[in-house]
Amino acid sequence: MPGTPRIALALVALLALLGGCAATPEASLRDDADAKRFESAPRAAIVYLYRVDSPSSATSTLWVDDRIVGQSLPATYFRVAVRPGRNRITAFGPDQGRLEIETREGGVYFVAMQMAGDGESSPNTIFRSVPPKAGKAEILRCCTMLETWRPGQWRLPF
């Protein structure tokens, strides 16, 4: 059949493209380096959400104040600007992990995440607030920044 190799190639390319959209993309090296300066932002609070549990392969979709952030992966972090005040961090799906923190304008906060449960079938995210000195050290030692999902960004449903 003429065209069968083209159809197969197009199908493989489409599957590769779709597979890449399922996970949260890694931030650029420049954005990662900028975020690791741990600077505050005007009229906002900054929350760093990070995972050090590299042996775990489980993932969790994160939300801050009912806004989707992205899918956490081992040895990664997110830098999220939030409105100062009471902020709620939650995980999606069967995962009932949640944490509420009080933030102030110009503040920088650190939240460590750890995956628990029986593997990938029913993960549970455990959140805990971390002092800035410890949070900075852990992020610098282990983690790569992931981009936060933006409204209107196309992704596959989980």
Side-chain angles (χ1 to χ4, degrees), residues 7-8 15 17 19 46 52 55 65 79 90 100 102 122 129 137 155:
I7 292 171
L15 289 174
L17 177 66
I46 301 297
V52 188
D65 297 330
R79 181 182 189 273
T90 56
E100 289 192 14
E102 189 71 32
S122 60
S129 291
R155 60 191 164 271

Side-chain angles (χ1 to χ4, degrees), residues 26 50-60 71-77 113 115 142-144 146:
E26 223 176 83
Y50 68 94
R51 277 184 62 185
V52 188
D53 61 342
S54 354
S56 172
S57 62
T59 62
S60 181
Q71 187 177 24
S72 75
L73 299 169
T76 62
Y77 73 98
M113 301 178 286
M115 300 302 292
C142 84
C143 302
T144 302
L146 297 177

Side-chain angles (χ1 to χ4, degrees), residues 45 65 82-88 101-105 109:
D65 297 330
V82 299
R83 288 189 176 155
R86 193 104 180 123
N87 303 105
R88 186 178 66 237
I101 61 173
E102 189 71 32
T103 61
R104 295 187 179 189
E105 183 176 329
Y109 303 86

Side-chain angles (χ1 to χ4, degrees), residues 39-145:
E39 295 175 338
S40 61
R43 297 181 306 280
I46 301 297
V47 178
Y48 283 83
L49 300 163
Y50 68 94
R51 277 184 62 185
V52 188
D53 61 342
S54 354
S56 172
S57 62
T59 62
S60 181
T61 302
L62 304 174
W63 295 74
V64 174
D65 297 330
D66 298 321
R67 183 184 88 197
I68 192 167
V69 172
Q71 187 177 24
S72 75
L73 299 169
T76 62
Y77 73 98
F78 292 99
R79 181 182 189 273
V80 183
V82 299
R83 288 189 176 155
R86 193 104 180 123
N87 303 105
R88 186 178 66 237
I89 302 163
T90 56
F92 177 76
D95 189 338
Q96 297 301 309
R98 80 176 322 143
L99 175 72
E100 289 192 14
I101 61 173
E102 189 71 32
T103 61
R104 295 187 179 189
E105 183 176 329
V108 179
Y109 303 86
F110 296 85
V111 175
M113 301 178 286
Q114 182 177 356
M115 300 302 292
D118 61 349
E120 295 183 35
S121 61
S122 60
N124 187 35
T125 305
I126 299 166
F127 296 104
R128 65 180 170 85
S129 291
V130 175
K133 186 175 180 180
K136 289 176 186 178
E138 287 185 314
I139 288 171
L140 289 171
R141 179 181 52 79
C142 84
C143 302
T144 302
M145 184 171 149

